[in-house]
Amino acid sequence: MNDKEIDLLIQKEASRLKEQLVLIASENYPSFQVLDACGSIFSTKYAEGYPGKRYYEGCEIVDELEGLAISRAKEIFGSDHVNVQPHSGTTANMAVYLSALTHGDSILSMKLDQGGHLSHGSKVNFSGKYYDCYFYGVDRETEFIDYNEVEKLANEVKPKLIVCGASAYSRAIDFKKFSDIAKSVGALLLSDIAHIAGLVAGGVHSSPVPHSDFVTTTTHKTLRGPRGAMIMCKSQHSETIDKAVFPGIQGGPFMNMIAGRAVAFKEAQQPDFKEYSVNVVNNSKILASTLSKLGFRIVSGGTDNHQFTVDVSPQKATGREIAKVLRNIGIIVNMNGIPFDPLPPRITSGIRVGTPALTSRGMKGDEMEKIGDLIGQAILNKDNLGKLRLLKEEVVRITSPFSFPGYEKFEKSL
Ligand SMILES: *Cc1c(COP(=O)(O)O)cnc(C)c1O
């Protein structure tokens, strides 16, 4: 049977991804080989348990598959133990909490509205409901993580677990410093590198692995794999982590997604992935400095990684408003709070901008300068429909020479 409705939606989404400028910091274009593995026959297999210790028969081949994914991940990150089964970054964090904490234990993590993640103890997330959560943030002046505050709070709270890593933070994270603080108060350290895993793999951000008891990451952000996540840990935690993932919080793993993850890991081991991650950061720096030169305020003054937040409040605009203005000309970002934002999360004073996806399409500095200029013009002319129409045409001119991995195959298959 032909499902024309779904085929059409796939075609429309492929066109959208070709025609728009995706600057969402957490999105990327995986290779066609990754997507192909995700859509493979491995979708069907039930494989509760781990390689060699399954609760189902017929797992010989998926055992090999999961073994390969694990050994590739270990080679990339140099971790003692890896679990590649978590369905998402949130689930990976949940498994770490379940293995390391009991109900009511204390966590010290980064404030959600200053760059942290929902799964780091937000009241609306299970983590904030089940654990006793305390938060550090950034310095009001520099907008860099305030390590003195982290240390002070760690001493006061004596948390069982310290969480570092962020969703909207453009500066390098000092994992050694976090580790020293955690050790000094007898806390365990979880480094959540969901956003920067690809930069760590490519060697353009320092690795948390030597300094952390647990490292969680998504595989679909800068790592350019399929949706999903993994957990790395020191060998003494390997059994409790595996038990926390299954049977603790998940049932059968998605073997097709593990196949996609394995392919992405192999890609991340190639020399051109290093080049990719260097380009992601260069592009981010060029885009941020282009906007900065046009007079826009970048939170913390710039970026060391794949993303940054633009404060649009000096332009008398809100994040929500600008995200919509940009969407209407084909530039896709998300609204994002700035540190100490007076506006609520559904409005915000900023937009978050990231370069992993456009870098995967092969865009470089020249394009970043043009795009920075377009974003700036759009913000300054947010109420001038004529001008916005011209900017939209410019977006089409910039995107048209750049495809994305596998686009022709989607086109052909439809
Ligand atoms: C994206 C992200 C996650 C969670 O990812 P999901 O797969 O959406 O659950 C966890 N932690 C951080 C810091 C993130 O940025």
Side-chain angles (χ1 to χ4, degrees):
M1 190 194 81
N2 253 339
D3 189 336
K4 290 218 179 80
E5 285 156 292
I6 298 299
D7 284 351
L8 184 63
L9 290 177
I10 292 172
Q11 185 176 29
K12 277 185 175 168
E13 181 65 354
S15 305
R16 181 188 77 78
L17 286 168
K18 166 87 168 44
E19 286 157 15
Q20 294 182 333
L21 287 167
V22 176
L23 284 162
I24 293 184
S26 50
E27 291 184 5
N28 210 334
Y29 297 90
S31 70
F32 183 75
Q33 288 75 9
V34 166
L35 296 178
D36 207 24
C38 292
S40 70
I41 198 71
F42 281 123
S43 294
T44 64
K45 189 69 196 109
Y46 242 108
E48 284 178 352
Y50 292 96
K53 296 172 284 187
R54 305 286 187 186
Y55 291 83
Y56 287 77
E57 295 308 321
C59 290
E60 295 76 12
I61 300 172
V62 292
D63 276 6
E64 253 185 85
L65 170 69
E66 188 168 348
L68 258 179
I70 291 169
S71 63
R72 288 175 182 174
K74 279 185 180 171
E75 277 171 36
I76 297 171
F77 294 99
S79 175
D80 293 354
H81 180 75
V82 180
N83 185 310
V84 294
Q85 295 190 1
H87 302 326
S88 78
T90 298
T91 321
N93 288 339
M94 192 181 229
V96 171
Y97 302 155
L98 186 67
S99 80
L101 308 172
T102 49
H103 193 189
D105 276 350
S106 52
I107 298 177
L108 175 61
S109 67
M110 190 160 178
K111 285 187 189 113
L112 177 64
D113 57 7
Q114 296 193 8
H117 189 259
L118 281 164
S119 63
H120 295 181
S122 161
K123 273 278 168 263
V124 298
N125 183 264
F126 80 94
S127 52
K129 296 184 199 288
Y130 278 60
Y131 305 105
D132 187 20
C133 298
Y134 300 84
F135 301 96
Y136 59 86
V138 297
D139 181 89
R140 214 175 247 279
E141 284 297 303
T142 64
E143 298 175 306
F144 281 51
I145 289 173
D146 185 347
Y147 291 94
N148 291 329
E149 188 192 20
V150 178
E151 189 165 17
K152 189 169 150 278
L153 285 168
N155 274 304
E156 281 168 24
V157 173
K158 295 277 189 293
K160 187 104 177 265
L161 180 75
I162 295 181
V163 183
C164 67
S167 298
Y169 184 65
S170 66
R171 295 304 182 172
I173 294 176
D174 191 339
F175 296 114
K176 170 78 167 54
K177 216 173 246 179
F178 271 108
S179 160
D180 289 344
I181 294 170
K183 284 202 183 98
S184 75
V185 298
L188 292 163
L189 179 65
L190 161 61
S191 300
D192 177 350
I193 56 168
H195 262 266
I196 58 169
L199 307 183
V200 173
V204 295
H205 192 295
S206 77
S207 172
V209 170
H211 307 293
S212 315
D213 298 281
F214 312 97
V215 177
T216 53
T217 182
T218 59
T219 48
H220 51 271
K221 298 181 186 175
T222 52
L223 199 50
R224 214 166 68 187
R227 293 206 87 82
M230 64 177 172
I231 304 171
M232 297 172 261
C233 65
K234 296 267 191 273
S235 48
Q236 66 264 34
H237 303 295
S238 58
E239 253 176 69
T240 51
I241 281 293
D242 284 352
K243 279 191 183 140
V245 174
F246 172 84
I249 57 165
Q250 291 189 173
F254 300 166
M255 298 315 300
N256 55 316
M257 303 310 277
I258 290 177
R261 249 162 254 159
V263 174
F265 296 156
K266 182 156 184 151
E267 290 172 358
Q269 290 174 303
Q270 307 308 310
D272 62 356
F273 192 83
K274 193 172 182 54
E275 198 183 314
Y276 166 71
S277 41
V278 168
N279 289 338
V280 166
V281 176
N282 281 343
N283 281 345
S284 174
K285 284 180 194 273
I286 293 169
L287 194 48
S289 75
T290 304
L291 282 159
S292 200
K293 278 180 210 147
L294 290 170
F296 292 92
R297 192 181 90 78
I298 310 298
V299 169
S300 87
T303 180
D304 301 325
N305 61 22
H306 63 296
Q307 64 163 313
F308 55 90
T309 304
V310 187
D311 176 1
V312 295
S313 64
Q315 283 72 36
K316 306 265 180 293
T318 68
R320 183 161 83 172
E321 180 188 14
I322 296 304
K324 295 231 184 305
V325 166
L326 291 175
R327 184 204 59 192
N328 289 339
I329 63 165
I331 298 179
I332 307 299
V333 300
N334 60 285
M335 61 176 159
N336 210 99
I338 58 169
F340 308 98
D341 202 322
L343 298 177
R346 291 175 61 87
I347 301 178
T348 78
S349 301
I351 53 167
R352 186 180 66 160
V353 178
T355 54
L358 293 188
T359 309
S360 290
R361 294 178 72 173
M363 293 191 188
K364 296 261 176 64
D366 283 352
E367 287 77 35
M368 293 305 123
E369 283 175 6
K370 285 186 202 153
I371 293 165
D373 200 53
L374 281 176
I375 293 173
Q377 295 299 325
I379 299 173
L380 297 173
N381 296 283
K382 64 187 170 65
D383 301 313
N384 181 343
L385 292 181
K387 177 75 179 174
L388 291 175
R389 205 168 310 120
L390 294 176
L391 296 176
K392 189 173 182 179
E393 287 167 15
E394 195 55 35
V395 168
V396 174
R397 264 194 291 280
I398 293 175
T399 51
S400 62
F402 294 92
S403 194
F404 67 81
Y407 175 68
E408 324 73 49
K409 296 208 174 68
F410 287 111
E411 238 184 353
K412 225 176 278 166
S413 71
L414 294 163

